Amino acid sequence: MAEKSSFFVHFSFLLLFLSIITTCGEGVRNPVRRSSERRALMDGQDLSRPLKLTFGGPSRNWTDAIPIGNGRLGATIWGGVSSETLNINEDTIWTGVPADYTNPNAPEALAEVRRLVDVRNYAEATSEAVKLSGQPSDVYQLVGDLNLEFDSSHRKYTQNSYRRELDLETAVAKVSYSVGAVDFSREFFASNPDQVIVAKIYGSKPGSLSFKVSFDSELHHHSETNPKANQILMRGSCRPKRLPVNLKKSINATNIPYDDHKGLQFASILEVRVSNGGSVSSLGGKKLSVEKADWAVLLLAASSNFDGPFTMPVDSKRDPAKECVNRISSVQKYSYSDLYARHLGDYQKLFNRVSLQLSGSSANKTVQQAASTAERVRSFKTNEDPALVELLFQYGRYLLISSSRPGTQVANLQGIWNRDIQPPWDGAPHLNINLQMNYWHSLPGNIRECQEPLFDYMSALAINGRKTAQVNYGASGWVAHQVSDIWAKTSPDRGEAVWALWPMGGAWLCTHAWEHYTYTMDREFLKKKGYPLLEGCTSFLLDWLIKGKDGFLQTNPSTSPEHMFTAPNGKPASVSYSSTMDIAIIKEVFADIVSASEILGKTNDTLIGKVIAAQSKLPLTRISKDGSIMEWAEDFEDPEVHHRHVSHLFGLFPGHTITVEKSPELAKAVEATLKKRGEEGPGWSTTWKAALWARLHNSEHAYRMVTHIFDLVDPLNERNYEGGLYSNMFTAHPPFQIDANFGFAAAVSEMLVQSTTKDLHLLPALPADKWPNGIVKGLRARGGVTVSIKWMEGNLVEFGLWSEQIVSTRIVYRGISAAAELLPGKVFTFDKDLRCIRTEKL
């Protein structure tokens, strides 16, 4: 009997692992089969849970609304009953035009700042450094709102019949409720293959559906109906110049005029299809009215005339209205079922690559499924429901699939979702943690395609950044600073040096290029895209480094992002030299380009010789008198020891220059630093700390940081919170920033699998007492390896590995290790003792 049971578990493990592989290559899996496979893998224990966000009523705030997206187009769905609102986003709707990101006066200011730093007048250097600051970024906007008004009978809906949900396995949002004997339902999804947002609205009684639909926008716009085609077309324009940074909230921004023709032009079109017997008519040339239909299907397209970051909108040849009309015409041949099937196949090909099931300890096995996701978040502190961890992990993958696809813009500070013309921090990509964190999980989370927009964006930054480097700093190569926008801004931000003066944004981004290679082993990518980006960045760094008085190379001026220190004269300052983060990023980039040169046969290049010579002259990471990692080159007094940024720990994560195995003293100092910093902080800080603790193989503290994110934020009193989740599981700074949604998925991945191109660590930070049983399938590891792991009672049971190329690796689990060689076309299954027990052909 034991042999049969063991065979059943092994066979089912292989079956499910193979299904992940099939999904990577072919697309949709049967959801029924998926559920049965989940159960089988847990020895009959039913851990299958729907991956759904659920809501007990219509949205009261934007952070209650459901986000959908196809990478380029997005919407947040409020789920009202008598009226429904969709905030419509398109990722190129921005203020501004291409600009000059250079400052010819910067060299003179730079020389003075460096002089002041050399004589240790750090406070004065900080004041002088403001002359190096630039202009603010431009601002992410929104197309506008799609509004649906239902007849007055809907106000009498039965409240306990109301349901609203987002199904992560299908990327479909649903709203349903009853009015008397009639059940009404709405379904929404954003199709990537067809580049439209699709909605189906229907009632259970024939002829019961009537509503009006219209567009609105806070931007300059005009809409008109085309009754013959059952369409509404809205045209609009963005501001060619952003609103003032400190515009008072009491001022109605929509009343501030702007030139309609100089900024980006956009359009959106809505087409309505109805059942036989239903009718569509125009109301006042602005609205469409649907009467007595069984069902209606809405198709929405949106576009702008953005033609890249170097083309003035007035010079663009794109016609957004024509593009929208053509897009709608291209889907005429598809029924709603066709559109849904095409959407599902495209989405699940990515989403289904990874699954995670966790079971809790006996103390939390009696968790009751709450009525809504918000209630589950609220109760997490007492029941620590592992299913909620699964949900938030997969939500991070869902959101990146929905906001970043090949050919789109990068996922910005809010992904693609926005309801304001003045969003927090302009909705702009911030390069001192936030944009990078957005993509941390794309590789281990097995959705590498979603990272492509980042490299396209970096290529644009490299063009503008070359001019900034040359004019501002007299340096070769390219540079980018702390904040950017759709126009690939590379100059410093406006304002104080503590945030604006940070020329390491492009360098940090370049580490993603090497990471992409290590996970995919895509030599062609490295040759054509990754290496040229690293090459330009390295050239700048070599020129930016100057010889210090101690003989080491130094960065001067230098800041630690957004963090002040107390100078020796007792004055507050932010500018000094060789901050720990500066040097850690430079070490990482230098190591990356040397490794890349070895792959591409460029080790004899002059640039590589300069890098190798410079590596030995970079200062060491230092430990302060209290045992923590020094944040600056000197052991300055820190007036804010609980500061949100942990920039000086970059070398541990996401970097690789500090490791538990190779630099235990520094790892111990990192631990002291994290304890000193404390556990409180905004969402992105919380998830970064979780990943750092995971890299230290400290499961207890990694899990503690995981639990910190499960704090339900009241959007009307969000100033009272640090981090947390809104009811739609958007992560809070507060306000909403999407980076922690992505950082959470990355941190959980780090707890389960860590790797280099030579080593694979299994369950390095598993909180065995909290997640004693579980299975993860389809995570990616460096070396191009796909990993699935099963554990029970906190112990490894078995795991499977496969790769598309020959891979030699060292597998590590709880201090024991074993060498393994993987061959393409085969799944290798190992037992708890790291012995290969089976190989199966794919």
Side-chain angles (χ1 to χ4, degrees):
M1 187 68 182
E3 291 179 358
K4 289 184 179 179
S5 175
S6 176
F7 172 79
F8 177 71
V9 173
H10 290 162
F11 178 75
S12 57
F13 183 87
L14 176 64
L15 179 66
L16 190 47
F17 193 65
L18 287 172
S19 71
I20 292 290
I21 297 168
T22 303
T23 302
C24 291
E26 298 178 8
V28 184
R29 286 170 49 199
N30 185 316
V32 174
R33 177 185 171 195
R34 185 178 185 186
S35 294
S36 65
E37 287 164 348
R38 284 178 177 172
R39 291 192 292 270
L41 277 167
M42 295 311 297
D43 281 331
Q45 183 181 5
D46 187 355
L47 288 185
S48 62
R49 291 173 283 249
L51 290 172
K52 292 182 179 181
L53 279 68
T54 58
F55 304 82
S59 302
R60 296 182 179 180
N61 303 282
W62 183 67
T63 49
D64 302 329
I66 294 175
I68 61 171
N70 66 8
R72 184 182 66 86
L73 275 177
T76 38
I77 302 156
W78 286 63
V81 177
S82 59
S83 64
E84 171 68 281
T85 298
L86 278 71
N87 309 123
I88 305 299
N89 296 112
E90 201 271 357
D91 65 358
T92 63
I93 309 298
W94 281 75
T95 66
V97 298
D100 180 2
Y101 302 115
T102 65
N103 176 6
N105 298 318
E108 182 180 352
L110 176 64
E112 178 60 11
V113 171
R114 282 179 166 169
R115 185 190 70 79
L116 290 168
V117 168
D118 282 343
V119 297
R120 303 184 74 239
N121 286 338
Y122 301 123
E124 291 81 357
T126 299
S127 298
E128 185 70 17
V130 173
K131 294 179 182 178
L132 292 168
S133 296
Q135 298 299 315
S137 68
D138 272 292
V139 186
Y140 186 48
Q141 305 286 276
L142 73 162
V143 173
D145 298 337
L146 184 69
N147 297 310
L148 289 78
E149 307 163 60
F150 295 89
D151 63 59
S152 59
S153 68
H154 287 246
R155 297 174 186 169
K156 301 176 182 178
Y157 77 103
T158 306
Q159 288 196 9
N160 63 9
S161 70
Y162 185 92
R163 300 287 184 274
R164 185 161 60 97
E165 68 178 35
L166 171 63
D167 188 339
L168 301 185
E169 296 191 277
T170 61
V172 174
K174 295 181 180 180
V175 178
S176 62
Y177 56 89
S178 299
V179 179
V182 183
D183 299 327
F184 289 96
S185 298
R186 308 172 201 156
E187 300 173 355
F188 306 87
F189 61 88
S191 168
N192 180 64
D194 292 309
Q195 288 296 305
V196 290
I197 291 174
V198 183
K200 184 175 183 180
I201 310 170
Y202 49 97
S204 61
K205 181 180 177 181
S208 60
L209 183 63
S210 298
F211 63 91
K212 301 175 181 65
V213 61
S214 60
F215 278 118
D216 194 12
S217 179
E218 291 189 61
L219 301 176
H220 287 190
H221 71 284
H222 172 75
S223 60
E224 58 186 354
T225 59
N226 179 355
K228 293 182 180 179
N230 294 349
Q231 293 177 348
I232 310 174
L233 174 63
M234 179 173 70
R235 293 182 174 92
S237 62
C238 298
R239 295 177 182 274
K241 185 177 181 180
R242 62 162 296 152
L243 291 165
V245 172
N246 297 316
L247 186 69
K248 294 180 180 179
K249 291 186 177 180
S250 59
I251 297 176
N252 187 346
T254 59
N255 294 331
I256 300 176
Y258 60 93
D259 191 323
D260 285 346
H261 303 291
K262 292 184 178 180
L264 286 167
Q265 308 295 301
F266 66 87
S268 185
I269 191 169
L270 177 78
E271 180 175 287
V272 180
R273 301 176 183 176
V274 295
S275 60
N276 292 332
S279 65
V280 183
S281 60
S282 174
L283 292 178
K286 302 288 185 182
K287 297 182 179 182
L288 291 178
S289 176
V290 173
E291 297 289 339
K292 298 181 179 180
D294 301 348
W295 54 260
V297 172
L298 311 182
L299 303 173
L300 185 147
S303 185
S304 85
N305 69 338
F306 178 76
D307 201 15
F310 313 116
T311 301
M312 286 286 184
V314 294
D315 297 326
S316 174
K317 305 301 181 185
R318 293 182 60 183
D319 182 341
K322 184 177 181 181
E323 289 181 12
C324 289
V325 170
N326 290 342
R327 176 56 58 190
I328 293 296
S329 297
S330 72
V331 298
Q332 293 296 332
K333 57 190 173 185
Y334 298 126
S335 67
Y336 176 80
S337 297
D338 294 333
L339 291 166
Y340 174 71
R342 288 165 58 80
H343 154 74
L344 193 65
D346 169 81
Y347 172 75
Q348 290 191 335
K349 184 177 180 180
L350 296 173
F351 185 79
N352 282 358
R353 290 176 182 173
V354 173
S355 68
L356 172 67
Q357 294 94 46
L358 304 170
S359 72
S361 64
S362 58
N364 60 23
K365 280 186 178 178
T366 58
V367 171
Q368 297 295 316
Q369 291 293 320
S372 70
T373 301
E375 291 179 8
R376 293 175 65 191
V377 172
R378 186 182 287 113
S379 63
F380 186 87
K381 298 296 184 188
T382 56
N383 62 39
E384 298 185 15
D385 180 7
L388 206 54
V389 175
E390 298 172 17
L391 187 65
L392 189 58
F393 169 83
Q394 292 287 24
Y395 193 42
R397 298 181 67 248
Y398 163 85
L399 290 171
L400 192 63
I401 293 169
S402 301
S403 62
S404 183
R405 294 286 201 105
T408 72
Q409 303 303 307
V410 288
N412 62 48
L413 204 61
Q414 298 185 174
I416 51 171
W417 298 281
N418 176 34
R419 66 163 299 190
D420 300 310
I421 59 173
Q422 292 178 281
W425 299 288
D426 304 325
H430 283 58
L431 277 55
N432 63 0
I433 173 60
N434 315 97
L435 179 59
Q436 290 88 345
M437 183 177 284
N438 284 2
Y439 288 95
W440 279 354
H441 74 303
S442 61
L443 294 170
N446 210 342
I447 44 176
R448 65 190 185 192
E449 297 90 336
C450 296
Q451 201 181 30
E452 287 185 24
L454 181 64
F455 302 120
D456 294 338
Y457 188 57
M458 289 166 62
S459 296
L461 290 174
I463 293 172
N464 281 338
R466 191 170 294 275
K467 300 172 187 175
T468 304
Q470 181 179 10
V471 175
N472 288 31
Y473 305 129
S476 62
W478 68 275
V479 65
H481 290 78
Q482 169 254 357
V483 66
S484 190
D485 55 29
I486 196 171
W487 307 108
K489 168 184 162 63
T490 51
S491 56
D493 193 11
R494 54 93 192 176
E496 300 299 322
V498 67
W499 67 78
L501 182 58
W502 193 71
M504 292 291 143
W508 188 348
L509 287 175
C510 276
T511 65
H512 285 245
W514 175 247
E515 288 281 50
H516 188 84
Y517 171 76
T518 63
Y519 274 91
T520 64
M521 308 306 286
D522 185 345
R523 192 177 185 277
E524 198 66 12
F525 162 83
L526 186 64
K527 178 182 177 180
K528 292 185 175 179
K529 182 149 284 190
Y531 195 84
L533 289 168
L534 280 164
E535 197 171 35
C537 170
T538 299
S539 293
F540 169 76
L541 294 176
L542 287 169
D543 285 352
W544 182 246
L545 287 163
I546 56 179
K547 188 175 181 179
K549 294 178 181 179
D550 57 4
F552 286 103
L553 294 173
Q554 65 177 215
T555 57
N556 177 5
S558 177
T559 61
S560 190
E562 302 181 26
H563 197 187
M564 303 286 289
F565 60 86
T566 301
N569 62 3
K571 295 181 179 181
S574 63
V575 175
S576 63
Y577 64 97
S578 298
S579 72
T580 299
M581 189 186 211
D582 275 10
I583 301 303
I585 289 175
I586 292 171
K587 287 179 179 178
E588 199 78 22
V589 172
F590 283 1
D592 290 349
I593 195 168
V594 169
S595 296
S597 72
E598 294 168 355
I599 300 297
L600 298 177
K602 293 177 176 289
T603 54
N604 293 325
D605 286 7
T606 302
L607 181 71
I608 301 304
K610 291 180 179 180
V611 169
I612 293 172
Q615 283 178 310
S616 61
K617 299 175 183 177
L618 292 173
L620 301 175
T621 302
R622 303 175 187 179
I623 299 175
S624 68
K625 55 182 177 289
D626 66 2
S628 63
I629 297 289
M630 282 173 53
E631 187 164 356
W632 299 276
E634 298 182 29
D635 204 357
F636 297 124
E637 179 186 342
D638 185 349
E640 192 179 355
V641 294
H642 301 307
H643 193 269
R644 60 193 177 276
H645 281 265
V646 284
S647 307
H648 46 319
L649 306 186
F650 174 94
L652 177 69
F653 184 92
H656 305 277
T657 54
I658 298 175
T659 68
V660 172
E661 296 86 358
K662 295 181 180 179
S663 47
E665 288 188 9
L666 289 177
K668 184 178 179 181
V670 170
E671 181 174 338
T673 308
L674 285 168
K675 291 178 178 178
K676 177 180 175 181
R677 224 33 158 208
E679 297 182 351
E680 300 303 319
W684 57 263
S685 179
T686 299
T687 57
W688 193 356
K689 290 170 185 173
L692 285 162
W693 281 116
R695 275 280 171 94
L696 290 173
H697 301 176
N698 190 315
S699 59
E700 177 186 355
H701 279 89
Y703 182 75
R704 282 173 62 87
M705 298 315 301
V706 164
T707 65
H708 267 273
I709 206 75
F710 291 99
D711 187 14
L712 186 64
V713 175
D714 176 2
L716 301 181
N717 297 287
E718 60 186 11
R719 290 181 180 274
N720 298 328
Y721 295 82
E722 281 229 83
L725 298 171
Y726 296 100
S727 70
N728 67 356
M729 293 190 90
F730 274 168
T731 49
H733 182 287
F736 163 55
Q737 283 183 201
I738 203 166
D739 37 32
N741 283 109
F742 301 141
F744 182 87
V748 171
S749 297
E750 283 292 314
M751 294 168 76
L752 301 176
V753 175
Q754 293 176 24
S755 61
T756 69
T757 54
K758 298 178 180 179
D759 300 290
L760 177 62
H761 293 257
L762 304 177
L763 308 179
L766 175 73
D769 57 330
K770 303 296 183 179
W771 306 335
N773 306 312
I775 183 164
V776 62
K777 308 177 300 296
L779 289 180
R780 291 283 283 191
R782 294 173 181 84
V785 178
T786 301
V787 184
S788 291
I789 311 171
K790 177 185 175 182
W791 67 95
M792 296 187 72
E793 297 181 358
N795 298 308
L796 178 67
V797 173
E798 67 179 26
F799 61 99
L801 308 175
W802 76 280
S803 176
E804 296 171 352
Q805 56 272 317
I806 298 174
V807 174
S808 297
T809 189
R810 182 178 69 105
I811 305 167
V812 182
Y813 173 68
R814 288 185 180 174
I816 63 171
S817 63
E821 182 169 301
L822 309 181
L823 303 176
K826 291 185 177 182
V827 177
F828 294 78
T829 303
F830 299 79
D831 65 12
K832 61 183 177 62
D833 298 314
L834 313 187
R835 295 175 302 191
C836 183
I837 56 176
R838 285 187 311 281
T839 60
E840 304 283 345
K841 288 185 178 180
L842 294 181

